[in-house]
Amino acid sequence: MKICSDVDGVILDYIQGFIDFTERENISYTHDPERYGVIRNFPNNEEIRDRFHRGYDLCQLNFFDDSLQILNLLATQHELHIVTALEPEQAQKRTDNLKELNYASLQCVGDYYKEKIIIEEIQPDVMLEDRPEL
């Protein structure tokens, strides 16, 4: 079986990594980010996200619960492909963060091409994704 998985929000805790970054950078919120999430409701949203991506935080995101063990177990019997909406220039950071995961391919394709790559190139039997519209 061919399995494809997204990364951020599915196997890596991007939101908590972003919260940790904003706390270190003293970026304030108008709401409790632990309760309502983060990454949108603050001034200079894109500038802050760009700073987050330029640093080393993307190399150090934590895996959700047992996601690493579960995917590695699946990878022993199935073909596992990873596709993320991160831009291609972030590929090395994502590779570093996923060094313990056994996968057949990793593609950082940007948000615009993600769906196309999954449907036309990988054509998985199973897709793990956190965005309902995809």
Side-chain angles (χ1 to χ4, degrees):
M1 180 180 346
K2 197 182 280 191
I3 301 171
C4 185
S5 180
D6 180 29
V7 179
D8 299 306
V10 176
I11 60 177
L12 293 179
D13 195 348
Y14 182 93
I15 299 278
Q16 188 59 54
F18 193 83
I19 291 170
D20 294 345
F21 162 78
T22 56
E23 288 175 352
R24 279 193 319 276
E25 297 288 320
N26 294 316
I27 298 166
S28 61
Y29 299 92
T30 59
H31 63 279
D32 178 1
E34 298 288 344
R35 174 175 271 182
Y36 298 106
V38 67
I39 74 175
R40 287 191 174 84
N41 297 326
F42 54 90
N44 306 323
N45 181 31
E46 289 192 35
E47 175 188 327
I48 301 300
R49 194 178 348 247
D50 287 345
R51 280 176 42 200
F52 176 62
H53 285 195
R54 280 194 306 267
Y56 292 100
D57 294 275
L58 288 178
C59 303
Q60 302 169 0
L61 298 177
N62 293 319
F63 284 90
F64 281 115
D65 301 324
D66 296 324
S67 63
L68 174 64
Q69 292 81 5
I70 292 166
L71 286 175
N72 276 337
L73 178 63
L74 288 171
T76 63
Q77 297 182 19
H78 304 284
E79 190 177 325
L80 177 62
H81 297 270
I82 307 297
V83 177
T84 179
L86 281 180
E87 296 299 322
E89 50 272 4
Q90 302 297 338
Q92 186 58 54
K93 291 178 184 177
R94 185 45 31 110
T95 299
D96 292 347
N97 203 167
L98 297 176
K99 64 182 176 266
E100 297 177 59
L101 181 62
N102 299 317
Y103 52 83
S105 71
L106 167 64
Q107 296 186 56
C108 296
V109 296
D111 198 42
Y112 182 78
Y113 291 107
K114 182 178 173 185
E115 184 176 0
K116 180 180 175 146
I117 296 293
I118 293 166
I119 292 171
E120 294 178 13
E121 283 186 29
I122 297 175
Q123 300 178 354
D125 299 301
V126 175
M127 177 66 199
L128 306 174
E129 174 63 59
D130 63 333
R131 287 181 16 202
E133 66 272 17
L134 294 178

